[in-house]
Amino acid sequence: MRRLSVLTCLLAAMFLAPVPAPGSAAASASADFYVPPSPLPAGEHGTLVRHQPSVVPATLLASARRIMYLSEDARGSAIAVTGTVIVPLAPWLGGGQRPVIGFAPGTQGLGDACAPSKLLQSGLEYEEVMIATLVTAGYAVVVTDYEGLGTPGVHTYMNRASQAHALLDGVRAAQDLPAVPDAGPVGLYGYSQGGGAAAAAAEVEAAYTTELDVRGAAIGAPPADLADVGRSLDGSMAAAFLGYAVVGLEAAYPDQVNLDDYLNERGEELADAVVDECVWESLPRYAFTRSSTLTEDGRPVADYLVEEPFVSLVADQRIGSRPPQVPTFVAHSLLDDIVPYPQGRQMAREWCAGGAQVRFETIGAPTHVLAMPEFGTRAVPWLARALNGRPGAANCGLF
C-alpha cells in the first residue's frame, strides 16, 4: 500500500495541476482561434492556416506562437490541428540551419481545456520542463495538440495514423513561419502517448512528408500494442487511460464503433464524462475501475478486442511492423507500471529485424512517471548527435 501512496503522490505532483477555470487564460484566451474555418482552406497537409502570439515562461528566452494547420485523420480526411511553436531568441550557433524538434506530448486527457497549447500558455503543462530543455539547447520546438484537443470533435487518443500526421504536419506548418528555418534538420521526441506518436511518425515520415529532413526520433515508453496495454491497464490505478483509448477509438471510427451498443448505464456515463476531462481529473476518479463493470454483458474490454470490428481496428494501431528509415532511440523502464516494458523492446526488435537503425536502452528508474525524466536525460544528447548526422551505434541483437 505504501508503494501506491508514493506513486499517487508522484502522479499528483506531475499531473494533478489545477484545472483551468472557465474564465482563466487557458480557457478563454483566443477561444475563436480553435474554431477552424468552414470549409477548410485548400492545401496540402502541413499547410499553415493561422497563427497568433502565445506566451512562454518568463525565464525562457524565446518567442512562442500558437498555430493551426491542416493535417489528416486516420481515414485520410483533411482536419485542422493546433499546436505551439517555440523559438529561442538567441541566434543558432551550431552551424547550418536551426534544428526543429517535433514534440509529441504525453497523455493530457480528452477535454479541450487539456490542449497543450492552452496549458503551456498558463504554465500548467507537465512536460514544460522538457520542452524548455530543448529550447534552451537552441532548438525550435513544435508541440502538437493532436486531433480533437482544443479543436472541435473528440480527441482520437492513441490513434497511430492521426497522431503521426499531427506531429509531422506541425513541423511542416512551423517551417512556414519566418522565425523557423524551412529546411533545417528535424528531430522527433515523445514519451508515453508521445512515444507512440513519435514512433508512428518515424515509421511513416519517409512516405508522408518527403520534404522534411528528419534525422532521428527519440521514443520513450511507447504503447506499441494497444490490446496488450489495455489488458494491463484494466483495473489498475491508470484505468482512465483505457477509457480514453476506447472513447478515442469510437471518435476515430464512428462508422464502425458505437459504444452505446456495448456499455451499460454506468459505462455510458463514464464515456460521456471523460470527453471533457483532463488527466489530473480522470486518474483519481476512475482508479482501479474494471471495464467489466461498465459493459452491458459484464465482459471486460479484452474480450471484445478479439472480435470485430475491434480486432482489426486495434491491430491497425500496432507499431513495429514498419521499420523507420531514420535512426531511432528507444528507452523503457523495466518496471514501468502503465506501459509494460516488453512493448518498447518488442517494437525495437521488430524494427531491427526490418533493417532499421535502433538504439534501445533499459531505464532503471521504477514506474512510468519516475522514468520520464531519466528518458529525457538520455534522449536529448542522443538527439543532438542525430541532428548532426552522428547518432551513434545501434545495438540491434543485444537486447
Side-chain angles (χ1 to χ4, degrees):
M1 290 298 292
R2 177 169 175 76
R3 177 179 177 274
L4 283 177
S5 298
V6 172
L7 182 53
T8 300
C9 291
L10 288 168
L11 282 166
M14 299 192 69
F15 294 135
L16 273 62
V19 180
S24 70
S28 62
S30 306
D32 290 345
F33 181 87
Y34 293 89
V35 180
S38 181
L40 289 175
E44 297 183 345
H45 57 85
T47 298
L48 186 64
V49 175
R50 63 171 68 124
H51 56 94
Q52 64 178 207
S54 187
V55 297
V56 293
T59 55
L60 196 60
L61 299 178
S63 63
R65 296 197 74 81
R66 188 184 294 106
I67 61 173
M68 176 180 284
Y69 55 95
L70 297 183
S71 191
E72 291 184 2
D73 66 13
R75 295 164 293 180
S77 299
I79 57 173
V81 176
T82 51
T84 305
V85 181
I86 306 172
V87 183
L89 297 179
W92 170 249
L93 301 177
Q97 293 190 337
R98 186 190 301 276
V100 181
I101 305 297
F103 191 99
T107 301
Q108 311 288 309
L110 300 185
D112 285 340
C114 324
S117 62
K118 296 183 179 183
L119 299 179
L120 279 167
Q121 178 167 289
S122 57
L124 298 176
E125 173 53 57
Y126 67 83
E127 291 190 277
E128 185 178 293
V129 172
M130 183 47 59
I131 294 168
T133 298
L134 293 166
V135 174
T136 302
Y139 308 134
V141 178
V142 185
V143 186
T144 181
D145 288 341
Y146 300 126
E147 178 184 0
L149 271 182
T151 48
V154 176
H155 173 39
T156 53
Y157 181 72
M158 288 314 310
N159 185 273
R160 177 188 59 80
S162 177
Q163 292 182 167
H165 298 164
L167 182 61
L168 294 168
D169 288 331
V171 175
R172 290 188 65 183
Q175 289 181 333
D176 281 343
L177 296 173
V180 180
D182 61 4
V186 174
L188 307 175
Y189 180 102
Y191 185 85
S192 192
Q193 179 188 4
E203 287 193 336
V204 304
E205 60 81 25
Y208 184 73
T209 49
T210 56
E211 72 285 2
L212 290 183
D213 182 16
V214 179
R215 301 284 182 89
I219 298 155
D225 184 341
L226 296 189
D228 185 58
V229 176
R231 286 187 288 270
S232 175
L233 290 175
D234 202 345
S236 75
M237 190 171 66
F241 295 166
L242 176 58
Y244 286 173
V246 171
V247 172
L249 195 68
E250 181 186 50
Y253 307 102
D255 53 337
Q256 295 172 266
V257 178
N258 182 353
L259 292 182
D260 289 346
D261 295 339
Y262 305 95
L263 299 178
N264 60 24
E265 183 176 354
R266 183 183 178 214
E268 291 176 0
E269 290 175 354
L270 185 151
D272 290 342
V274 295
V275 297
D276 294 318
E277 293 179 351
C278 297
V279 65
W280 52 81
E281 300 168 277
S282 302
L283 273 176
R285 186 169 295 165
Y286 310 114
F288 309 113
T289 298
R290 294 198 172 276
S291 63
S292 58
T293 66
L294 307 174
T295 59
E296 191 69 48
D297 60 8
R299 291 193 296 159
V301 164
D303 284 6
Y304 294 100
L305 298 185
V306 297
E307 302 172 354
E308 294 294 356
F310 300 101
V311 63
S312 295
L313 295 177
V314 173
D316 190 52
Q317 311 315 313
R318 195 173 180 279
I319 307 169
S321 62
R322 309 164 186 83
Q325 303 301 302
V326 296
T328 58
F329 171 79
V330 183
H332 210 135
S333 169
L334 184 63
L335 300 175
D336 194 312
D337 55 342
I338 292 180
V339 181
Y341 172 78
Q343 294 270 307
R345 184 177 59 182
Q346 179 61 26
M347 182 193 75
R349 285 175 171 174
E350 291 183 27
W351 281 353
C352 285
Q357 184 179 348
V358 183
R359 175 79 188 178
F360 179 82
E361 295 185 5
T362 298
I363 295 175
T367 78
H368 191 74
V369 172
L370 282 181
M372 185 191 303
E374 186 173 337
F375 168 71
T377 62
R378 299 187 189 199
V380 173
W382 183 90
L383 265 179
R385 296 190 296 270
L387 290 166
N388 285 315
R390 302 188 298 272
N395 63 346
C396 290
L398 300 178
F399 58 89

